[in-house]
Amino acid sequence: MSYDAKLKSLGEFGLIDRIARCVTNGAGVALGIGDDAAAVACSTGNLSLITTDMLVEGVHFDLSLCDGFSLGKKSLSVNLSDIAAMGGTPRHFLLSMAIPPSSNLALLDDVIRGMMQRATEFGVNLIGGDTCSSPDRLVLSLTVLGEQLPEKIVRRSGAVPGDNVCVTGTVGDSALGLQLLKKGERDGFLISRHLDPTPRVREGRALADEGIPSAMIDLSDGLLADLQHILDSSSAGARLRLADIPLSPHFLARFPAMDNEARAMALSGGEDYELLFTVPHSRMPGLYSLMREVGTPFAVIGSVTETKGLSVVDNEGNELPLRKKGFDHFSEP
Ligand code: ADP
Ligand code: MG
């Protein structure tokens, strides 16, 4: 298979020009696309937060289940979510693309359009990247630069026994949305939670600015797996209450009985991109009033324990058996 005629006639540099024409350099960009490196300013006293995430066709996305526009949007969203989880403000991003012959120009235009729409919503500037060919899979790799004052950055390692475990929004929607997509559904709340997650940038920044969380992470691998990352970094354990884990009405409508499949999806389903954070008791009043102001729902789902290990208890106080915790690229399905 060879590249479509339009892409061939544009060539690598024509494509880069086409991307550059969608970009207007915003605040802080001294040098954007077009030179050997970009040059950006950082606000006085802030540290740069730098994160990168790669999306590989066949691993992270399937072009028979999602359109280019959603793919472009989501590829930026998942990176913005990592900056949100540090409590930072995203400012700029770099886009690297490895393009196979099966990706025609119309698809790439859609990807860029989706990405730029999300970039505009969150006030981030595309400042550069890299473009090359790929034998048969589309690969998008984005790097986002953000910033925050050193003392406000929220790490995974600060959870302390006794802290509450909190989560924004609802969990399990994205995993269920993906399952429905695979079964042929094409729209609705659950599908859009999978294809178009909203990064909790405003929430992460507000929480960090107020110094509320002791530790924070975004939910990409699944509630239990991501909580385990906080616990590993903080050398602690946690006990969660199943009944307090927030589920959307759309999720509940599909699972009238909370069976094992529903529990597994809520506890281990990935890609919700909500924020999971721990909060000392003394800061709970501050958390309630801040989140009222921000207008984002959140739930208190358990607490951090001195004893290592993660347990989930049902209404009767029985511990649920936990097996698969979340997604791991190198483990067997
Ligand atoms: P070099 O060979 O010096 O690495 P390139 O030809 O790869 O330069 O890139 C030229 C310019 O275009 C650089 O500013 C680079 O950051 C930018 N660029 C390349 N690919 C992309 C892309 N996919 N999106 C945005 N900018 C890009
Ligand atoms: Mg290059």
Side-chain angles (χ1 to χ4, degrees), residues 141-219:
S141 174
L142 282 78
T143 300
V144 175
L145 286 81
E147 59 182 29
Q148 177 56 291
L149 294 168
E151 66 276 16
K152 303 270 180 181
I153 291 173
V154 187
R155 299 168 55 169
R156 295 179 178 184
S157 55
V160 174
D163 288 357
N164 278 323
V165 178
C166 306
V167 66
T168 58
T170 54
V171 299
D173 297 330
S174 177
L176 179 53
L178 176 60
Q179 190 188 74
L180 298 175
L181 264 173
K182 287 180 175 166
K183 287 183 181 161
E185 281 191 41
R186 283 295 171 265
D187 41 43
F189 174 86
L190 296 164
I191 306 278
S192 75
R193 286 276 286 163
H194 180 73
L195 292 180
D196 185 15
T198 306
R200 298 290 197 181
V201 171
R202 223 163 31 92
E203 294 81 353
R205 176 74 199 224
L207 287 165
D209 282 347
E210 294 301 315
I212 287 169
S214 49
M216 187 151 64
I217 193 168
D218 65 320
L219 292 184

Side-chain angles (χ1 to χ4, degrees), residues 108-132:
L108 298 177
D109 278 344
D110 285 346
V111 170
I112 300 299
R113 241 178 358 96
M115 202 177 289
M116 294 315 294
Q117 188 189 91
R118 184 103 305 175
T120 306
E121 275 172 65
F122 285 88
V124 292
N125 308 294
L126 178 58
I127 56 169
D130 200 19
T131 305
C132 69

Side-chain angles (χ1 to χ4, degrees), residues 12-13 16 35-36 96 129-131:
E12 177 190 336
F13 299 104
I16 296 174
D35 216 309
D36 293 308
S96 294
D130 200 19
T131 305

Side-chain angles (χ1 to χ4, degrees), residues 267-326:
L267 295 171
S268 304
E271 298 202 280
D272 284 312
Y273 298 102
E274 295 293 348
L275 292 175
L276 177 70
F277 52 100
T278 56
V279 181
H281 279 272
S282 61
R283 298 185 203 147
M284 289 305 286
L287 172 64
Y288 283 106
S289 71
L290 177 73
M291 294 306 266
R292 236 188 333 268
E293 239 172 75
V294 174
T296 302
F298 76 99
V300 184
I301 60 174
S303 50
V304 179
T305 58
E306 188 114 36
T307 325
K308 301 248 170 76
L310 178 47
S311 60
V312 181
V313 295
D314 66 15
N315 276 342
E316 285 75 48
N318 301 316
E319 244 179 64
L320 301 186
L322 302 177
R323 275 172 297 126
K324 187 167 173 276
K325 287 195 173 157

